[in-house]
Amino acid sequence: MEIESLEEFDLHIRRTKRLFGWFVQSVDLTQRESVLVTAEPHGAVFLGCALTDRAEAHLRRGGALIFPRLPALPFDPYRGALYTAQALYSDLEHGYATTPDALVYAWTRSLDHPPATKDTLAMSLHDHAIDNALTEVLTSLAAQTCVGVMGGHAAQRGTEAYATAATLGLRLAATGRTVLTGGG
């Protein structure tokens, strides 16, 4: 069972105190300490969740796996949902360079080649989380309304190729299609 929000956690924890098979992804559980310390955590996995020290100690002793938040990243590798334009371009009024999109792009451009293990791990976790979120969205949509537009991982932001892919996505969205983009 995948838990990707506090609301989902609250809904499921009311039904059982046994967490076997739960995958809790990037949820702030600091206000749920009293519930967590009375739960049977064996077989649960917590990915990048915020926990109190007491709750974390109980979960670890009880057999849960806890993957920590990874430091110094401009993104959440355990993210449970797709990005929205609003999330990617928040703070745009202060210039593109301050947006989450720009910060992540700059981070990827600053990596060593080949990237360090910690960086490839963060990217792999993020890619898996996004693939999972995309699968969830796609199963709820009619296949004929979905269009994928890839900007091309080789296309640099600011180039004509990148602008062409972005314009195509915008035009398809204006026709009522669900446009899925990638690359960058």
Side-chain angles (χ1 to χ4, degrees):
M1 174 181 332
E2 294 181 15
I3 307 291
E4 298 169 342
S5 70
L6 193 56
E7 294 76 22
E8 285 180 288
F9 178 84
D10 289 342
L11 175 69
H12 293 293
I13 200 70
R14 282 194 276 270
R15 298 180 188 157
T16 183
K17 296 294 186 214
R18 189 169 180 260
L19 307 182
F20 184 85
W22 285 33
F23 285 80
V24 186
Q25 198 169 327
S26 199
V27 177
D28 183 344
L29 297 170
T30 54
Q31 299 302 311
R32 299 302 186 270
E33 177 183 288
S34 61
V35 175
L36 288 168
V37 299
T38 61
E40 167 51 51
H42 178 74
V45 178
F46 293 84
L47 302 165
C49 294
L51 300 162
T52 64
D53 291 343
R54 181 174 172 230
E56 183 174 340
H58 171 77
L59 295 170
R60 285 186 190 282
R61 277 193 313 274
L65 292 175
I66 299 175
F67 288 72
R69 292 176 180 230
L70 300 175
L73 293 175
F75 60 92
D76 177 3
Y78 307 112
R79 176 179 188 86
L82 296 177
Y83 292 95
T84 63
Q86 293 80 12
L88 288 173
Y89 298 106
S90 65
D91 292 330
L92 187 58
E93 65 274 7
H94 302 293
Y96 174 73
T98 65
T99 67
D101 184 67
L103 296 173
V104 171
Y105 183 66
W107 179 83
T108 62
R109 304 299 291 168
S110 73
L111 297 176
D112 294 331
H113 293 285
T117 301
K118 67 180 178 57
D119 298 324
T120 58
L121 175 62
M123 290 184 289
S124 295
L125 289 167
H126 181 264
D127 288 352
H128 173 75
I130 294 300
D131 182 63
N132 186 35
L134 179 59
T135 299
E136 289 176 13
V137 169
L138 288 175
T139 58
S140 69
L141 296 172
Q144 61 272 25
T145 67
C146 296
V147 179
V149 176
M150 299 301 289
H153 284 74
Q156 298 277 332
R157 282 178 169 76
T159 65
E160 185 176 332
Y162 193 86
T164 300
T167 301
L168 175 60
L170 182 64
R171 288 182 179 162
L172 288 166
T175 69
R177 302 283 197 282
T178 299
V179 180
L180 308 166
T181 63

